[in-house]
Amino acid sequence: TSSSRSLWPQQWMWTMKQLQVTLQLATVVPPHLRQQKATMQARVQLPEHHEDEGPTYYRLGVDYPIDLNDEEIHLQCARVKKLENLEGIGPKLKRLILIANCIEKIENLDTNVNLDHLELYQNLLKKIENISHLTNLTTLDLSFNKIRSSDSLASCPFAKLEKLYLSSNKITDIEGVFHLTSLKMLELGSNRIRAVPPEIANLVNLEQLWLGKNKMTSMALPPMPALRHLSMQNNRLEVWEPSFFQNASGLTHLYLGHNNLPDLPEEFALLVNLVEVDLVRNVITRIKPVPELVKLEELWMNDNKIEDLAEVRNLAVFPALKTIYLERNPMQSLGDKEAEKRYRDAILEVVPNITQLDADMLNRKVSLVTNGSEQQVMGIRKA
């Protein structure tokens, strides 16, 4: 038989430039070799230490070449920090799209006078500046930056501007935009706005106004006959403003979810063009029958305070209804399977032709186009 002894290091030495490990291996060997020792050494050279110089940024016209014949520059997540080297492409450039970069300032666009689309979404901008000469703009997107005011737009003669995106900034007031009479869409969601100023009535062509996730306590609007889409979701609304329904009577899509609004007022009947309405997570206790809403296709009223299942009978007055969300109201008795079935059956008895109830698709046909090869597939049975 033979036995072995443990392997132990005799010496350890550590420096910044080398690691020396000395291992001594002793084993049981024949008597005439017993006094000999086997020694193995390994020397490792550590890499040279370099100071961290911070993140790497890339440059337009240097790291990202610019083709002087292109009409569009589009870079996303490219770590571009500065607008530069655009003089060469000059008036040829029509669309500049730099999304999710690191741009801190709008600058060096003096020669790019034919830009019609400027998109600096998700950068590090703090001001709207140096763009008043871009009079051909139809779309301006400065969303997801650090802008605190839109007042500087007042000096921009943007007669052609149709879409203005300023969502997810730090804007406290709607200002500087009231001369932009060609605007059709204004996006100001996720800011710090508390009210809509009466001057917004100057935007006579405005069709879409997005004000979700602000700090608004009033839904009052001046007369806006062209307005079709309005969002005031996730604000601090607690009362209905009677004048709202007269001043925005052309609405087709209205989003008021996640507020603290009570039951619908009589004036709601003025919104005769409504196709879609979001009233999710308010404090509504009943489904108000509004027979004037003959075009209403989608009604979202989940997460409210409706307790009486008999309220669903009022759904019958909406002849165009296709989609209904009423889940998580007390009348559903969520978790009680029998009560949930009664809830579902009661709704479908009143509006049997809807195509969606909560998350469930209904009354939809699925056509399977086949060449007969499905007989080869496990789980498909051919008739």
Side-chain angles (χ1 to χ4, degrees):
T1 62
S2 63
S3 62
S4 63
R5 299 179 183 176
S6 301
L7 185 65
W8 294 93
Q10 286 189 330
Q11 182 179 8
W12 290 81
M13 183 180 297
W14 171 270
T15 68
M16 290 298 293
K17 294 186 176 180
Q18 68 178 18
L19 173 66
Q20 180 175 310
V21 180
T22 302
L23 302 175
Q24 175 121 10
L25 178 65
T27 61
V28 176
V29 295
H32 64 284
L33 299 176
R34 192 166 294 170
Q35 300 301 317
Q36 296 184 12
K37 298 180 180 179
T39 302
M40 179 177 64
Q41 285 189 337
R43 181 169 294 179
V44 178
Q45 186 74 32
L46 293 178
E48 186 176 351
H49 177 69
H50 295 283
E51 292 293 333
D52 184 1
E53 297 180 356
T56 300
Y57 297 106
Y58 298 101
R59 298 182 63 190
L60 282 173
V62 180
D63 302 293
Y64 297 111
I66 297 173
D67 187 332
L68 299 185
N69 293 315
D70 282 346
E71 294 186 352
E72 177 177 313
I73 295 175
H74 189 155
L75 293 171
Q76 187 164 341
C77 300
R79 298 200 65 80
V80 174
K81 189 175 184 179
K82 186 176 182 179
L83 293 176
E84 59 180 339
N85 300 320
L86 297 171
E87 299 85 357
I89 197 169
K92 184 77 172 180
L93 187 63
K94 293 185 177 180
R95 295 169 59 87
L96 179 58
I97 303 171
L98 300 172
I99 299 173
N101 282 282
C102 309
I103 298 168
E104 298 178 345
K105 184 177 181 180
I106 306 176
E107 58 185 341
N108 299 324
L109 300 177
D110 298 346
T111 65
N112 310 119
V113 293
N114 288 326
L115 275 174
D116 61 47
H117 186 115
L118 178 58
E119 188 168 347
L120 300 176
Y121 175 103
Q122 196 175 341
N123 279 279
L124 302 173
L125 301 173
K126 294 182 179 180
K127 292 182 181 180
I128 303 174
E129 56 187 339
N130 302 322
I131 60 171
S132 61
H133 63 292
L134 303 178
T135 55
N136 288 306
L137 281 178
T138 60
T139 300
L140 176 61
D141 188 347
L142 303 177
S143 299
F144 287 85
N145 280 282
K146 300 180 179 181
I147 298 167
R148 294 183 178 275
S149 173
S150 60
D151 185 52
S152 59
L153 287 172
S155 63
C156 299
F158 293 158
K160 300 178 182 179
L161 193 66
E162 295 183 356
K163 296 179 180 180
L164 176 59
Y165 301 85
L166 294 171
S167 62
S168 295
N169 278 286
K170 300 180 180 181
I171 297 170
T172 56
D173 298 291
I174 302 176
E175 55 188 351
V177 300
F178 309 124
H179 65 296
L180 305 175
T181 54
S182 293
L183 266 189
K184 294 182 179 180
M185 201 284 300
L186 177 58
E187 164 66 277
L188 285 163
S190 297
N191 278 286
R192 303 172 182 180
I193 297 166
R194 296 183 181 274
V196 178
E199 293 88 347
I200 205 169
N202 295 342
L203 304 182
V204 293
N205 292 302
L206 194 66
E207 297 175 357
Q208 299 184 38
L209 178 57
W210 302 90
L211 294 167
K213 204 173 182 182
N214 275 283
K215 299 182 178 182
M216 299 177 60
T217 57
S218 171
M219 61 190 300
L221 291 177
M224 302 187 73
L227 197 63
R228 297 294 179 263
H229 293 239
L230 174 66
S231 171
M232 292 185 176
Q233 297 168 312
N234 279 282
N235 274 282
R236 303 173 181 180
L237 305 178
E238 297 185 346
V239 295
W240 296 100
E241 172 58 49
S243 66
F244 169 90
F245 301 97
Q246 183 68 50
N247 292 341
S249 60
L251 285 173
T252 60
H253 294 70
L254 176 60
Y255 306 102
L256 296 172
H258 297 266
N259 280 287
N260 201 34
L261 290 166
D263 292 337
L264 306 188
E266 295 297 326
E267 292 86 352
F268 212 92
L270 295 174
L271 303 182
V272 295
N273 294 307
L274 268 188
V275 175
E276 184 172 294
V277 61
D278 168 19
L279 299 168
V280 170
R281 200 179 287 275
N282 279 283
V283 290
I284 296 170
T285 62
R286 61 187 300 261
I287 301 172
K288 184 179 181 62
V290 189
E292 291 83 356
L293 304 188
V294 296
K295 299 179 182 180
L296 188 66
E297 296 181 3
E298 300 210 13
L299 175 61
W300 308 346
M301 292 184 69
N302 52 282
D303 297 279
N304 272 283
K305 306 294 182 183
I306 304 170
E307 297 184 1
D308 189 355
L309 188 57
E311 287 292 324
V312 301
R313 297 173 185 169
N314 295 327
L315 295 172
V317 304
F318 306 117
L321 208 55
K322 296 179 180 179
T323 299
I324 301 171
Y325 279 92
L326 284 167
E327 61 189 346
R328 292 186 299 277
N329 274 283
M331 66 178 176
Q332 186 187 16
S333 298
L334 193 62
D336 183 332
K337 297 301 181 182
E338 292 185 3
E340 288 182 32
K341 185 178 185 304
R342 287 195 297 271
Y343 156 84
R344 179 186 176 91
D345 291 345
I347 294 172
L348 294 180
E349 181 181 355
V350 177
V351 282
N353 296 319
I354 61 171
T355 56
Q356 183 173 345
L357 173 56
D358 299 325
D360 296 330
M361 299 296 181
L362 309 168
N363 298 319
R364 296 200 177 183
K365 295 180 179 180
V366 178
S367 298
L368 178 63
V369 179
T370 175
N371 61 4
S373 61
E374 75 280 357
Q375 61 186 341
Q376 307 290 334
V377 181
M378 183 74 70
I380 295 181
R381 183 176 300 170
K382 189 175 182 181

